[in-house]
Amino acid sequence: MIHNLSGASRRLIGSLLPMCCALMFFSVPSLGYDRLQFETLQKGVEEWNRFRAESGQEPVDLSEAVLKGKNLNGVNFRGAVLRGADFESSNLSNACLDGADLTGARLFQTCAAGASFRDALCKDALMEEALCSDADFRNAVLDGSVIKQADFSESILNGASLRDVDLRSTDLRHADLSNADLSGAYLWKADISFAGFDNTVISNRTVVESGSNGTPQWAEKHHARYVHEEPAVSFQELSIDRSRTLLDKELPVNTVVQKILFGQRLDKADELSYDVFQFKLLKKNITEWNSMRQAQPETPIRLSSADLSRKVLDSADLHDADLSRALLKGTDLVDADLRGADLSGCNLRQADLTHADLSGADLRGAYFWRANCSWTVFANAIVDASTILDTGRHATAGWAEMNGAVYRESN
């Protein structure tokens, strides 16, 4: 076809081709990790460790690399950047991750028995059901990580920062947590038999194994150190200072606070549909949240479109809350009170709703696929054909009748 064009047209196309090729080249999305290093790792641990020994101080960047199910026993990741990397179900036994950056990494059901994480940065990592027995986390930073139902028996957490970490139902038998910081940590139902807490910091925000908040008496009994922390957000701030609270979706939030806390662009902050202070308090501490609900029962709860995915909201008081279009994917809502809540258009995929009470809740357009709805109460909850059940099927009038819900025909 080009041969049928005039000479001027052919010259024009010829001049544009290099530019188009350059645009195509630069439009390819960049990988979050070093491709050559990733390919070397794919050849096996022996080849990788040889590369590390020969490359000396060459920095390693495998950020966001997908390494699911890999056998990385004894791998050398010392000082490596592994931000957001996915090690789900991988074998990291006896691996060296000293000084590595694992911020936001996914280690769900990962075996890291005997691994070394000394001085590693593991903030906001997902380590649920991980096997980390006899692992070394000395001076590591694990703030905000989810380590629920994991095995950390006989692990060394001396000097580690475990602020706001979810350690619920985790095996901490014979673990050494001396000099660690457990401020705001959640240890409900954790097994702390023979664990060492010498000089460990706990606070009034810490939830201990019994489900109660940390106290000076608990600290004294376990040779720990008690500190008192002020609530992240005062009840008065939520209820009295109306200029800083989203009572109506049309009103703006405090843009400066929004920028500092959540990195939201200032010119976009007034478009948020949720109350920024309520959002922060709910994510930070369920005990303080429930106390706020009890002290201020008339305060409207505005969490529409808020991203609460994979958060631990066990036993949270969310009755009559506006959670329309909220993201609750994989969220722990065991025993949560969601009576009368607006959950229309809410994404509850893979959420744990065991024993949760959704009586009278608006579930139109809600998405429950693969959610755990064992013993969930749906009495008088409103559903329609747009509601996707835990089975992946649309809600029907028959399902509503069987579960005591109310089925409404879609408009």
Side-chain angles (χ1 to χ4, degrees):
M1 184 179 293
I2 292 178
H3 293 293
N4 296 328
L5 298 174
S6 64
S9 298
R10 287 198 298 271
R11 286 193 295 274
L12 177 60
I13 292 174
S15 65
L16 290 174
L17 279 175
M19 185 183 301
C20 292
C21 292
L23 288 172
M24 290 175 64
F25 175 79
F26 287 110
S27 65
V28 175
S30 60
L31 299 172
Y33 52 83
D34 187 303
R35 183 173 180 179
L36 292 177
Q37 292 179 353
F38 181 77
E39 291 176 351
T40 302
L41 182 59
Q42 297 297 312
K43 296 176 182 178
V45 171
E46 186 176 350
E47 182 69 22
W48 172 263
N49 288 349
R50 184 183 302 112
F51 157 72
R52 291 302 308 274
E54 294 174 353
S55 61
Q57 300 300 315
E58 179 179 338
V60 170
D61 190 348
L62 291 170
S63 299
E64 301 178 13
V66 178
L67 296 162
K68 288 184 178 181
K70 299 293 183 182
N71 183 6
L72 301 171
N73 190 343
V75 70
N76 180 5
F77 280 145
R78 182 189 299 273
V81 178
L82 302 164
R83 298 174 66 92
D86 189 349
F87 293 100
E88 180 179 338
S89 301
S90 292
N91 182 9
L92 285 169
S93 299
N94 305 306
C96 177
L97 295 116
D98 295 346
D101 185 351
L102 288 147
T103 303
R106 181 179 174 84
L107 290 92
F108 178 69
Q109 294 184 340
T110 299
C111 178
S116 181
F117 293 83
R118 288 192 186 190
D119 302 303
L121 181 60
C122 305
K123 293 180 67 174
D124 300 314
L126 176 63
M127 303 178 74
E128 184 175 349
E129 298 181 22
L131 175 59
C132 296
S133 57
D134 202 34
D136 189 346
F137 286 89
R138 269 176 280 192
N139 300 315
V141 178
L142 296 111
D143 298 351
S145 293
V146 176
I147 312 179
K148 172 184 171 184
Q149 296 178 332
D151 184 353
F152 271 62
S153 58
E154 301 186 20
S155 61
I156 304 174
L157 291 152
N158 187 306
S161 181
L162 296 156
R163 296 179 63 87
D164 302 305
V165 169
D166 176 16
L167 287 159
R168 185 157 56 96
S169 300
T170 290
D171 186 352
L172 292 166
R173 289 175 299 172
H174 297 280
D176 179 8
L177 292 104
S178 56
N179 300 300
D181 187 349
L182 288 170
S183 303
Y186 195 60
L187 290 93
W188 187 42
K189 294 185 178 180
D191 189 345
I192 62 170
S193 304
F194 308 106
F197 293 96
D198 290 349
N199 205 38
T200 299
V201 175
I202 68 156
S203 72
N204 51 303
R205 291 197 308 111
T206 304
V207 177
V208 297
E209 79 286 358
S210 62
S212 60
N213 288 88
T215 62
Q217 292 76 20
W218 190 97
E220 183 178 4
K221 177 182 177 181
H222 294 85
H223 309 289
R225 182 160 54 94
Y226 177 82
V227 297
H228 181 81
E229 294 184 286
E230 294 300 322
V233 181
S234 67
F235 304 149
Q236 292 75 17
E237 193 174 40
L238 284 170
S239 60
I240 297 176
D241 190 0
R242 299 304 189 189
S243 65
R244 302 178 67 190
T245 307
L246 253 185
L247 296 181
D248 296 304
K249 293 181 181 180
E250 293 75 23
L251 297 178
V253 299
N254 185 309
T255 55
V256 175
V257 173
Q258 181 63 25
K259 174 69 176 178
I260 294 172
L261 295 180
F262 305 106
Q264 184 77 21
R265 286 172 50 190
L266 292 179
D267 59 344
K268 296 292 184 181
D270 59 353
E271 297 177 9
L272 285 173
S273 56
Y274 57 81
D275 184 314
V276 63
F277 298 100
Q278 293 178 356
F279 178 71
K280 179 184 177 185
L281 180 60
L282 179 59
K283 291 201 308 177
K284 194 73 172 177
N285 191 297
I286 295 299
T287 302
E288 290 181 15
W289 170 268
N290 288 345
S291 297
M292 181 276 291
R293 293 301 316 266
Q294 186 175 6
Q296 307 290 341
E298 302 302 321
T299 300
I301 303 302
R302 306 296 187 190
L303 295 166
S304 177
S305 301
D307 188 355
L308 294 161
S309 298
R310 302 190 181 282
K311 300 302 178 184
V312 179
L313 305 181
D314 190 320
S315 303
D317 184 351
L318 292 164
H319 75 275
D320 297 323
D322 180 2
L323 287 157
S324 56
R325 302 179 302 282
L327 297 177
L328 293 163
K329 182 179 178 182
T331 301
D332 183 346
L333 289 161
V334 174
D335 292 315
D337 183 357
L338 289 155
R339 292 171 299 153
D342 184 356
L343 293 163
S344 57
C346 185
N347 186 349
L348 288 148
R349 179 178 177 178
Q350 296 180 317
D352 190 349
L353 290 157
T354 305
H355 292 291
D357 190 348
L358 281 74
S359 300
D362 188 346
L363 305 178
R364 288 173 290 186
Y367 191 68
F368 287 90
W369 189 44
R370 292 187 176 179
N372 184 355
C373 296
S374 304
W375 300 287
T376 304
V377 179
F378 291 101
N380 297 314
I382 302 171
V383 300
D384 64 8
S386 66
T387 305
I388 305 298
L389 305 174
D390 54 326
T391 59
R393 297 179 180 275
H394 293 272
T396 62
W399 181 93
E401 183 178 2
M402 185 182 303
N403 290 274
V406 177
Y407 184 82
R408 292 187 180 175
E409 297 291 343
S410 302
N411 295 330

